[in-house]
Amino acid sequence: MLITGQDDTLAAWVASQAKLSGFEKYTAIGSADSHGNLLGATVFTNYHPEAGVIEMSSAAVSPKWLSREMINAIFTYPFDQLGCQMVVLRVSPHNSRMLNIGQKFGFNFYTIPRLRGRNEDEVILTFTAEQWRDCPYRRVN
């Protein structure tokens, strides 16, 4: 079940799960099981309409959160509603689950040495509207 209209709650949850300090100017979408338990969420922030780029941050406690309905909701927002040409994710190189998801979807990967501090790189994942259009996980209505 999709959760919308609870941006503050979802953003706080993602920040807590991902050990982030928080977000500024954001929109969020979440996924819950049939009992209303939150399974995962995505926060959209750092929107640059002039460039058509927005940043996404996600967290989950179950792989079941990423249903086809959730996948389509996540990417419909930046590409169809906002008209973005690209989404960006910043991922720890230790977050193998997210890196695997990015690889399956066809994201582009860029490793920036020491971006998370002296002893940790950061992987920047980018995904364009064209990549989403051609993505096998996209559900066309």
Side-chain angles (χ1 to χ4, degrees), residues 38-106:
L38 189 58
L39 300 175
T42 295
V43 177
F44 300 93
T45 189
N46 295 329
Y47 176 42
H48 297 277
E50 66 284 351
V53 176
I54 195 166
E55 190 171 331
M56 297 171 30
S57 297
S58 298
V61 294
S62 168
K64 293 180 181 181
W65 86 286
L66 210 51
S67 66
R68 290 272 179 160
E69 179 183 32
M70 184 67 177
I71 291 167
N72 277 279
I74 289 171
F75 292 106
T76 293
Y77 177 69
F79 294 130
D80 296 339
Q81 292 181 27
L82 297 180
C84 288
Q85 56 93 15
M86 184 170 62
V87 296
V88 176
L89 286 86
R90 297 171 50 152
V91 180
S92 166
H94 305 295
N95 188 344
S96 59
R97 179 174 282 167
M98 188 62 235
L99 295 173
N100 287 336
I101 290 169
Q103 185 174 18
K104 287 178 184 177
F105 275 71

Side-chain angles (χ1 to χ4, degrees), residues 95-136:
N95 188 344
S96 59
R97 179 174 282 167
M98 188 62 235
L99 295 173
N100 287 336
I101 290 169
Q103 185 174 18
K104 287 178 184 177
F105 275 71
F107 279 74
N108 301 307
F109 286 61
Y110 305 92
T111 301
I112 311 298
R114 297 168 62 159
L115 193 58
R116 288 183 170 235
R118 183 171 294 281
N119 298 312
E120 187 173 0
D121 300 344
E122 183 160 78
V123 183
I124 307 296
L125 281 71
T126 64
F127 194 60
T128 65
E130 293 82 10
Q131 287 171 297
W132 170 240
R133 185 188 63 233
D134 296 336
C135 182

